[in-house]
Amino acid sequence: QVKYGGRGHHRMYCETDPGASRKFILEKDLGLALEREQLFLHYQPQIDSGTLELKGVEALIRWNHPEFGLVSPAEFIPIAEESGHIGAIGGWVLSEACTQAKRWSDEGSPIKVGVNLSPQQLHRPDIADQVRNVLEQTGLPPELLDLEITESAALSRPELVLVRLQELKRLGLTISVDDFGTGYSSLSYLETFPVDKIKIARQFTSKLENRQVNRMIVSHIVDLARTLEMSVIAEGVESENQAAILRAIECVEMQGYLFGHPVPPEEISRMLPLQPEL
Ligand code: C2E
Ligand code: CA
Ligand code: CA
């Protein structure tokens, strides 16, 4: 039996519980994943609902584990947060994504890059300094960086997060609320926080066709964004039918398998308009 630390308690490693041992291994290996170059980013297209133009991409982390193969970020990001590895990993994601977006911008395609910020990153007192350094080092124009935060991260410590967001906004970047509508939260924070864009959670998009009431909810979120002068993007768009409904209710942007899975940067480059030879 091996003991490993949880949050203020100890759990036993148990051979009959493969979940526990997998988590134990992942937590141990996560510390080395960066230097062993097992982490990489994929990018998913975000398109303009009207013109179908590529407006931006969301950076999504991938881990190629030597034993388990590809491990989902839904599994390892929470482990990274618990174990404290998220600081280093999050910093790397930011720097890698900004470097890539600068490359696209230099090639004549200034598309925005969305980077997910974990709650712990957002709560760091020096997060704005970190982001400023990355922007300076990569030379990416700040307006091409969009930071995605979740409602729960923002609302767990609202006064502190408000200050952090104001510092970040002063750098010239934009802020999106990820998975909007899944947090059972009050909407009043939207007015207080310097938010530029609402990302409608996949849970809503996927049910658009089922019932009239879901369509009404999404339509109201779109109206709310417009009233607050924010942009709005629907996540998880998988069918033409969903896209048609979203266009009809004037959702500004869309993201989902219908328009493209998360892919390596080279594949995004191939979707960009060819630049005329100078
Ligand atoms: P998220 O930020 O909500 O990212 C969207 C997830 O939905 C991605 O899963 C994406 O691959 C998936 N997705 C996109 N379009 C569709 C669709 O049409 N249908 C379906 N069924 N799924 C779609 P992924 O890449 O596995 O990431 C899972 C979560 O892990 C992300 O959810 C995000 O919370 C977290 N994550 C990923 N990369 C990072 C990162 O660099 N930093 C942090 N802190 N979290 C990350
Ligand atoms: Ca996201
Ligand atoms: Ca999301």
Side-chain angles (χ1 to χ4, degrees):
Q1 275 186 336
V2 181
K3 264 187 181 173
Y4 70 98
R7 242 194 214 138
H9 60 275
H10 291 276
R11 274 164 60 183
M12 295 297 182
Y13 166 60
C14 172
E15 291 207 301
T16 55
D17 181 354
S21 75
R22 179 175 161 109
K23 191 179 171 207
F24 176 77
I25 295 169
L26 289 180
E27 182 168 334
K28 178 174 63 66
D29 291 349
L30 205 46
L32 296 163
L34 257 184
E35 64 186 66
R36 296 197 174 157
E37 300 185 350
Q38 294 163 356
L39 300 179
F40 55 100
L41 297 184
H42 275 177
Y43 298 86
Q44 186 176 33
Q46 300 180 323
I47 64 109
D48 182 292
S49 305
T51 63
L52 297 185
E53 241 182 311
L54 184 75
K55 302 300 278 190
V57 289
E58 177 176 359
L60 293 157
I61 195 169
R62 301 288 177 259
W63 181 12
N64 194 3
H65 187 274
E67 187 181 337
F68 301 128
L70 272 185
V71 183
S72 161
E75 181 176 12
F76 76 80
I77 288 290
I79 299 177
E81 294 204 8
E82 259 178 63
S83 60
H85 294 305
I86 193 68
I89 292 174
W92 175 82
V93 171
L94 200 57
S95 158
E96 181 78 7
C98 289
T99 302
Q100 181 58 56
K102 166 71 170 152
R103 216 171 278 149
W104 283 318
S105 169
D106 285 347
E107 290 164 5
S109 301
I111 54 168
K112 290 192 75 139
V113 68
V115 173
N116 292 285
L117 272 200
S118 83
Q120 278 195 39
Q121 285 178 283
L122 187 61
H123 294 158
R124 285 174 72 122
D126 65 342
I127 182 67
D129 291 331
Q130 225 186 50
V131 174
R132 185 192 303 109
N133 285 341
V134 169
L135 287 170
E136 275 171 15
Q137 276 159 20
T138 58
L140 182 71
E143 62 273 16
L144 293 182
L145 176 62
D146 182 56
L147 295 178
E148 300 193 2
I149 62 162
T150 58
E151 289 171 302
S152 50
L155 298 172
S156 60
R157 301 168 79 179
E159 300 86 6
L160 184 142
V161 166
L162 178 59
V163 176
R164 296 286 92 85
L165 291 181
Q166 286 166 339
E167 291 167 351
L168 286 166
K169 278 295 294 177
R170 253 178 257 135
L171 302 176
L173 45 75
T174 58
I175 311 265
S176 293
V177 181
D178 205 356
D179 303 333
F180 183 82
T182 57
Y184 302 101
S185 56
S186 117
L187 294 174
S188 57
Y189 75 93
L190 277 181
E191 215 187 32
T192 317
F193 285 19
V195 169
D196 302 279
K197 181 152 101 176
I198 290 174
K199 298 196 76 179
I200 300 173
R202 188 177 78 225
Q203 286 89 319
F204 293 106
T205 308
S206 64
K207 285 185 268 175
L208 267 179
E209 295 140 298
N210 300 358
R211 285 177 60 202
Q212 181 70 13
V213 65
N214 294 316
R215 189 174 161 162
M216 279 174 63
I217 292 172
V218 174
S219 176
H220 275 102
I221 299 176
V222 172
D223 287 344
L224 176 72
R226 193 185 297 121
T227 306
L228 294 170
E229 297 180 327
M230 293 172 187
S231 188
V232 61
I233 181 166
E235 294 191 85
V237 182
E238 293 183 352
S239 74
E240 290 289 356
N241 199 10
Q242 289 166 351
I245 296 171
L246 289 163
R247 260 191 294 273
I249 60 179
E250 294 179 55
C251 181
V252 183
E253 287 181 26
M254 299 190 260
Q255 174 179 352
Y257 294 164
L258 179 64
F259 306 103
H261 285 250
V263 289
E266 306 79 55
E267 283 192 47
I268 296 290
S269 301
R270 269 182 243 128
M271 296 174 201
L272 298 169
L274 280 179
Q275 293 307 307
E277 301 267 342
L278 292 178

